[in-house]
Amino acid sequence: MNDSRISLRRTTADDMMLYFAWANDPEVRANSFTQDIITLEAHERWFASKLADENTVMYVFECDGVPAGQIRFALANGAAEIGFSIAKEFRGKGLGTEILRRSCEMLWNERGTNLIIRGAVKTANTASSRAFERAGFTTMDDSTNDVFFYAKRY
Ligand SMILES: CC(C)(COP(=O)(O)OP(=O)(O)OC[C@H]1O[C@@H](n2cnc3c(N)ncnc32)[C@H](O)[C@@H]1OP(=O)(O)O)[C@@H](O)C(=O)NCCC(=O)NCCS
């Protein structure tokens, strides 16, 4: 996809319902480490707490101004742990790889290049693993049969 059609912006309070729809997408739930369906009430509380948390950084990824995916970094002890998803209708176009690449650069710009960026992926989730690999992440030694751990440094 043409670079100029893609942009990344900070998540705002107005994105609450967008995130709610994305969070309950069946593939997103299946590939998450907590699989229960999320109620609107629980989501509202969770979303407000993440927006207010200075150790959470969230970006929305847009294609031609249409929201196409989201990525969240949880910062702790010099590392940033990734959670991300691409909206169903935008999957399989290379955007997963692109959001990983671009958001890492943006995070390092905003929070410093010493941060190690990490992701945990269920081994069955081939699309996510491929996206991490193509975005320049390497597999860590503590990976198991069930979960691949990825990391990237500046
Ligand atoms: C994982 C996810 C973000 C990947 O985004 P995407 O935009 O579809 O991925 P890309 O188009 O960048 O594809 C990445 C690679 O996976 C491959 N791929 C895409 N869909 C695939 C599928 N269903 N099965 C196997 N491989 C797939 C692509 O061919 C590509 O590999 P290649 O570069 O060798 O051709 C997206 O599928 C998604 O939102 N899934 C649900 C939520 C999720 O799993 N989040 C990640 C949790 S760790």
Side-chain angles (χ1 to χ4, degrees), residues 27-28 31 84-86 90-97 120-121 125-128 130-132 134:
E27 250 183 87
V28 172
N31 288 314
F84 82 125
S85 62
I86 298 293
F90 286 97
R91 287 180 198 151
K93 301 176 195 294
L95 292 176
T97 310
V121 180
N125 192 354
T126 316
S128 184
R130 288 290 300 152
F132 272 99
R134 289 181 77 85

Side-chain angles (χ1 to χ4, degrees), residues 27-44:
E27 250 183 87
V28 172
R29 296 275 28 94
N31 288 314
S32 296
F33 290 90
T34 47
Q35 298 203 335
D36 299 345
I37 292 290
I38 301 163
T39 64
L40 180 55
E41 195 193 1
H43 174 72
E44 275 177 306

Side-chain angles (χ1 to χ4, degrees), residues 35-154:
Q35 298 203 335
D36 299 345
I37 292 290
I38 301 163
T39 64
L40 180 55
E41 195 193 1
H43 174 72
E44 275 177 306
R45 251 181 288 125
W46 174 88
F47 189 75
S49 77
K50 293 299 170 196
L51 268 188
D53 178 8
E54 63 177 28
N55 290 316
T56 299
V57 177
M58 297 195 282
Y59 303 122
V60 169
F61 191 72
E62 296 185 336
C63 273
D64 294 330
V66 180
Q70 59 80 31
I71 190 158
R72 189 178 70 255
F73 296 95
L75 277 56
N77 308 318
E81 192 81 29
I82 289 178
F84 82 125
S85 62
I86 298 293
K88 198 175 176 53
E89 60 276 25
F90 286 97
R91 287 180 198 151
K93 301 176 195 294
L95 292 176
T97 310
E98 198 58 27
I99 193 175
L100 285 174
R101 279 209 194 101
R102 292 217 196 178
S103 62
C104 289
E105 294 301 323
M106 202 150 158
L107 184 75
W108 281 323
N109 270 336
E110 287 186 15
R111 296 299 188 102
T113 50
N114 284 336
L115 275 176
I116 299 167
I117 303 183
R118 291 208 286 240
V121 180
K122 289 183 179 179
T123 51
N125 192 354
T126 316
S128 184
S129 291
R130 288 290 300 152
F132 272 99
E133 284 158 15
R134 289 181 77 85
F137 282 75
T138 47
T139 328
M140 307 309 291
D141 291 343
D142 53 354
S143 293
T144 66
N145 283 337
D146 299 319
V147 184
F148 291 134
F149 292 102
Y150 289 99
K152 189 175 178 180
R153 291 173 187 273
Y154 185 75

